[in-house]
Amino acid sequence: MATFVVGDIHGKYKQLQELLALIDFNQDKDILWCTGDLVNRGKKSLEVMQFCFDLGERFLTVLGNHDIFLLALYHGYQSNKKIPKCLADILQSAQVDDLMSWLSHQPFFHYEKESQAILVHAGIPPLSTLEECIQANNRLQAFFQSPEHSNDLKDFLCHHMMGNEPRFPDDIGSEYDDYRYFINCFTRMRYCDLKGAPRYAFKGKPSKAPSKRTPWFALPQHGILSSQQPKYSAIFGHWGTLHKQPINSPHILHLDDACAWGGCLTALCLQGCKERGYQAKQRFSVSCA
């Protein structure tokens, strides 16, 4: 049995199947993780969701910002823009209730002790400990999954989720502030200022970043990744413009190789690699051009 992690799929069903064939993925034995953003951009978003849903316990994804947007639409969020057809196909499908329930049960932040791996879509809150991130994920999952919170969840997704505040954990003043801060970090963050506050305006590559902006994983005082020899591997996606950019740490594993923009869909082998004849953390890619 091997565990593989695939980057942001974005509805690219054909490329996903090509990649799984390349790594010789066995649906009966292997496990597949994803960095989130299963949907949007690609025309086959419904097929991607159905396939991942059918993998059952063999599949795990963290939620990405596009997945959250889909959940918000499902709960009645009124977007100012026309809903993409690939998302409308999901919302109009006969399986939509089952798929949205399943999606709501996926984590925002996943930590596996055996491999010391942290899986997140965008970033790890820079001023939080591992335990605080785990607890935040537990609060979010309870909120998204509990039937008794269904009305509050709809209210939050439709009216209170958007926005960049609070910037610091110490500024959290309500449950909605708490949810928004951690969702933003987990699903949207790329850069921070030098104090560790997430900054969302700039989305480009680090070589073009404004002054006093640093990638979240390079912040010297990062609560989880700041030691000279990090204990954890941080696996994330979200950041297409980071594709082919050097990251000077073997513990920072970025997997969004811009498949949605004509780049590649990439997977790495996380566990059980040697038995399959692969190197630990070996990467595999297929073209999305």
Side-chain angles (χ1 to χ4, degrees):
M1 182 185 78
T3 299
F4 297 93
V5 191
V6 63
D8 304 27
I9 300 170
H10 277 298
K12 301 289 188 176
Y13 180 76
K14 175 177 177 288
Q15 286 82 359
L16 175 62
Q17 296 304 317
E18 290 175 354
L19 183 59
L20 295 180
L22 177 64
I23 62 178
D24 194 25
F25 181 76
N26 186 326
Q27 296 186 30
D28 296 323
K29 296 181 180 180
D30 296 334
I31 292 173
L32 184 66
W33 292 0
C34 179
T35 59
D37 278 357
L38 300 179
V39 300
N40 216 356
R41 314 281 191 208
K43 296 180 181 180
K44 300 295 184 179
S45 292
L46 174 58
E47 287 83 351
V48 167
M49 286 205 70
Q50 290 172 327
F51 174 77
C52 296
F53 175 85
D54 289 341
L55 286 178
E57 294 183 355
R58 296 288 175 188
F59 180 80
L60 178 144
T61 185
V62 285
L63 293 173
N65 51 307
H66 289 270
D67 306 318
I68 294 295
F69 180 61
L70 174 61
L71 283 170
L73 291 174
Y74 173 72
H75 284 279
Y77 175 71
Q78 299 296 312
S79 175
N80 294 327
K81 299 179 181 180
K82 183 180 178 180
I83 298 174
K85 184 180 183 303
C86 60
L87 297 186
D89 289 343
I90 297 171
L91 296 170
Q92 295 165 8
S93 75
Q95 278 187 284
V96 62
D97 293 336
D98 289 339
L99 292 174
M100 293 303 97
S101 175
W102 168 79
L103 193 62
S104 297
H105 280 73
Q106 303 303 314
F108 288 83
F109 177 95
H110 179 69
Y111 167 64
E112 185 180 78
K113 187 174 182 179
E114 180 182 355
S115 60
Q116 295 290 277
I118 295 170
L119 180 69
V120 69
H121 176 62
I124 301 171
L127 303 179
S128 299
T129 66
L130 176 63
E131 185 57 36
E132 287 169 341
C133 289
I134 292 172
Q135 291 174 357
N137 174 71
N138 290 343
R139 292 193 299 274
L140 286 167
Q141 286 200 276
F143 182 57
F144 272 68
Q145 295 170 15
S146 175
E148 67 185 60
H149 292 146
S150 58
N151 290 333
D152 291 337
L153 177 61
K154 180 177 180 179
D155 179 54
F156 174 74
L157 291 174
C158 294
H159 304 294
H160 301 281
M161 183 176 66
M162 305 300 179
N164 297 332
E165 304 295 334
R167 301 277 189 179
F168 295 99
D170 289 346
D171 295 334
I172 293 173
S174 68
E175 285 187 346
Y176 282 1
D177 281 353
D178 178 51
Y179 301 151
R180 191 185 312 108
Y181 172 77
F182 283 102
I183 288 175
N184 280 341
C185 289
F186 291 149
T187 69
R188 294 179 57 211
M189 181 172 63
R190 293 180 180 90
Y191 290 95
C192 294
D193 64 23
L194 301 184
K195 294 181 179 179
R199 298 293 176 175
Y200 302 104
F202 182 71
K203 301 179 181 181
K205 59 184 67 175
S207 61
K208 303 292 185 180
S211 62
K212 299 182 180 180
R213 296 289 183 268
T214 185
W216 63 266
F217 53 81
L219 198 70
Q221 69 271 34
H222 196 289
I224 296 176
L225 304 178
S226 59
S227 62
Q228 293 297 315
Q229 294 182 332
K231 184 178 181 181
Y232 309 106
S233 293
I235 308 171
F236 68 106
H238 181 61
W239 197 341
T241 54
L242 203 58
H243 173 49
K244 294 186 178 180
Q245 298 297 301
I247 297 177
N248 297 321
S249 171
H251 300 278
I252 308 300
L253 305 172
H254 175 250
L255 287 183
D256 181 7
D257 282 343
C259 182
W261 309 105
C264 298
L265 185 63
T266 296
L268 66 79
C269 185
L270 183 65
Q271 290 183 320
C273 310
K274 185 177 180 180
E275 292 78 5
R276 298 291 290 273
Y278 302 145
Q279 298 295 318
K281 300 178 183 176
Q282 182 174 341
R283 291 173 179 253
F284 308 82
S285 296
V286 297
S287 174
C288 298

